[in-house]
Amino acid sequence: MKSRRYQYDVAVVGAGSAGVSAAYGASQAGYKAALIDRSSCLGGQATNCNIPSYCGFYTQDESMTRIVGGIVNPFLSKLSQIGADYTPVVSPAGNVLLPIDPESAKYALDECLAETTVDLYLDTLVTTCHREGNTIYSIECYDDEGSFTIEAKAFVDASGEANLAHMAGADMLTFENVNLQIATLVMRIGGVNDNIQVTKHDIEEAITKGIASGIGPFTKETGYIRRMPISNHFVVVLASQQLSDLTSQHITEAGMFTRKQCWAYLDAFKKFIPGFENAFLVSTGPKLGVRESRHILGEYVLTKEDVLSARRFEDTIGRGSWPIEIHASINEPSRYTQIHDRSYYDIPIGTLKSVNIDNLWGAGRIVSCDRNAFGSIRVMGTAFATGHAAGVAAALSQGEATYQCQPIQDELRRQGAIL
């Protein structure tokens, strides 16, 4: 079979919120961009993990000001055109978020990238990274036809797990004697009458009664439940597991264990929540929602103090507004710490730039930050912002170790970013 080799200015690995935005940014800046992902659709966790909402698009104060632009502008426009509801809502915890309908998000993102020059490689696995000195020069990819090579001047790792950075030998942040944030398998439940309202207390009571009657396994006795627009299904965030590594064996075990939990929770709800007698499991996942794994070491490490003090930076490339949200253990409820005045903080460009790989930029939940700052910057709304900046920065720097922040900021603003 004839070998396949493709050349680009920017290659982006991972097509979630950060990756889609990175490819969009590079393309809109006039550069040739490739977007590679092992999934069959765009959107990442929003479309593969049953996640019920985008967090981080808005400030958390009463103004609910949107602070993320770029591809988010045409994305919301596409959602509006197909009748999807993207009105911001306030969660039971008091945080502003935007509900997700996965099928609407898939289609809207397809349509956004169809209007660019980005080349898409879905259902594609990155298997190898080649570098010379401190520079990546190509990646080996694999699809159902076999192997092929993508060469690029600059690369963006938006994989969520820092897979490209890991392959390239990029320096990583390490955290001693701490648990990474837990992974969760989100479930959707149908068959419940439209007029049924369910509270957090109802969930807790049903689980308590379920435990007493021998139903299980359960890892959490309290969690999040919300009825979704369009489908009227309930989304339930409960089934969880602590991850110690990213081996296929461990991820497989975690997936099976959390699916078992979902069926146990459904059983308890059907028996102990009035109106759930005919409830059924619409879907789980299909992918386990991994919150945290690897973090690159960047030229700057965003800190808890930066986030909570709503710090401003001259070299900002975007804004973050989600409170610090910590899911420390499967046996603990999530904890929130709000940003000063429920405002936003600036994200400096150094959090995206690998400290030791000259042409590698990180985006999404792999960016350079401490454990607490990660609880804020990891969310998908903010990932659109860091991805956009990483794509533009990768394009304009063209593989050089040095870069100029001002032209990157100017191009981001030209593309509708909010800095």
Side-chain angles (χ1 to χ4, degrees):
M1 184 175 64
K2 182 180 178 180
S3 65
R4 293 177 290 163
R5 183 176 294 269
Y6 308 101
Q7 295 182 328
Y8 292 93
D9 296 310
V10 178
V12 181
V13 176
S17 302
V20 167
S21 196
Y24 172 89
S27 174
Q28 294 298 98
Y31 293 83
K32 189 177 181 182
L35 179 58
I36 307 109
D37 197 284
R38 59 188 174 188
S39 296
S40 299
C41 65
L42 303 174
Q45 297 212 10
T47 53
N48 288 298
C49 297
N50 261 340
I51 306 300
S53 57
Y54 283 111
C55 304
F57 277 154
Y58 305 93
T59 58
Q60 304 301 300
D61 58 12
E62 292 182 357
S63 73
M64 293 194 295
T65 302
R66 183 154 66 86
I67 59 165
V68 184
I71 195 174
V72 173
N73 298 324
F75 176 54
L76 295 181
S77 177
K78 300 294 184 186
L79 289 176
S80 178
Q81 290 171 20
I82 60 176
D85 182 5
Y86 61 89
T87 305
V89 299
V90 179
S91 74
N95 298 315
V96 183
L97 44 81
L98 185 147
I100 296 175
D101 170 57
E103 294 304 321
S104 299
K106 288 179 191 178
Y107 180 73
L109 290 171
D110 281 348
E111 291 297 289
C112 285
L113 286 197
E115 296 174 355
T116 72
T117 60
V118 175
D119 286 345
L120 293 178
Y121 298 87
L122 300 180
D123 291 298
T124 299
L125 182 67
V126 177
T127 60
T128 310
C129 169
H130 300 292
R131 60 177 265 201
E132 289 183 352
N134 294 330
T135 301
I136 302 170
Y137 64 88
S138 70
I139 54 176
E140 298 297 322
C141 303
Y142 191 89
D143 61 16
D144 288 340
E145 285 290 341
S147 297
F148 62 95
T149 302
I150 290 181
E151 299 174 345
K153 297 175 183 176
F155 292 81
V156 176
D157 189 337
S159 65
E161 318 309 338
N163 289 333
L164 177 59
H166 181 60
M167 290 179 189
D171 288 346
M172 298 287 181
L173 286 164
T174 57
F175 305 108
E176 301 295 332
N177 302 317
V178 296
N179 288 326
L180 298 179
Q181 292 210 34
I182 61 171
T184 299
L185 187 67
V186 181
M187 59 194 288
R188 291 188 182 235
I189 297 175
V192 183
N193 192 288
D194 289 353
N195 61 12
I196 296 296
Q197 300 297 320
V198 184
T199 67
K200 187 177 178 181
H201 174 74
D202 295 328
I203 293 286
E204 294 170 356
E205 187 175 26
I207 296 170
T208 299
K209 291 179 178 178
I211 292 171
S213 66
I215 300 173
F218 300 127
T219 50
K220 282 185 172 293
E221 297 179 24
T222 184
Y224 176 90
I225 185 168
R226 184 174 182 275
R227 193 184 284 274
M228 298 304 295
I230 303 177
S231 68
N232 278 333
H233 294 154
F234 279 100
V235 170
V236 183
V237 184
L238 282 166
S240 303
Q241 179 63 308
Q242 204 94 45
L243 295 182
S244 58
D245 60 59
L246 295 174
T247 61
S248 59
Q249 296 97 323
H250 190 54
I251 295 294
T252 298
E253 291 169 0
M256 294 176 69
F257 179 54
T258 49
R259 277 192 293 275
K260 190 177 184 70
Q261 291 176 53
C262 287
W263 282 99
Y265 284 119
L266 177 66
D267 191 13
F269 297 167
K270 291 175 70 172
K271 290 177 178 174
F272 301 114
I273 300 180
F276 272 69
E277 293 82 3
N278 297 315
F280 59 89
L281 195 57
V282 176
S283 65
T284 59
K287 291 187 66 175
L288 184 68
V290 177
R291 286 188 176 86
E292 181 178 18
S293 53
R294 304 185 186 102
H295 306 260
I296 66 166
L297 175 60
E299 295 176 344
Y300 183 82
V301 179
L302 192 74
T303 68
K304 173 183 178 181
E305 291 71 26
D306 294 334
V307 171
L308 295 183
S309 66
R311 185 175 174 184
R312 305 295 193 257
F313 291 88
E314 288 188 5
D315 60 347
T316 180
I317 46 74
R319 298 175 178 180
S321 65
W322 194 248
I324 291 177
E325 177 187 357
I326 302 296
H327 297 257
S329 167
I330 59 175
N331 300 311
E332 297 179 28
S334 55
R335 306 190 305 270
Y336 293 89
T337 307
Q338 288 290 346
I339 298 167
H340 178 67
D341 286 340
R342 289 180 171 260
S343 181
Y344 66 87
Y345 56 91
D346 285 342
I347 302 170
I349 194 170
T351 59
L352 314 183
K353 178 66 175 61
S354 169
V355 74
N356 72 311
I357 305 296
D358 292 344
N359 64 338
L360 177 64
W361 297 79
R365 56 190 170 89
I366 78 163
V367 300
S368 181
C369 58
D370 71 21
R371 293 295 320 292
N372 286 283
F374 172 78
S376 170
I377 202 170
R378 69 175 177 84
V379 297
M380 292 184 294
T382 311
F384 275 103
T386 58
H388 192 193
V392 169
L396 297 189
S397 63
Q398 280 298 279
E400 296 297 323
T402 59
Y403 57 90
Q404 299 297 318
C405 186
Q406 187 64 55
I408 295 169
Q409 291 174 323
D410 291 344
E411 179 60 24
L412 285 168
R413 290 190 178 97
R414 189 191 70 79
Q415 294 186 25
I418 301 171
L419 309 185

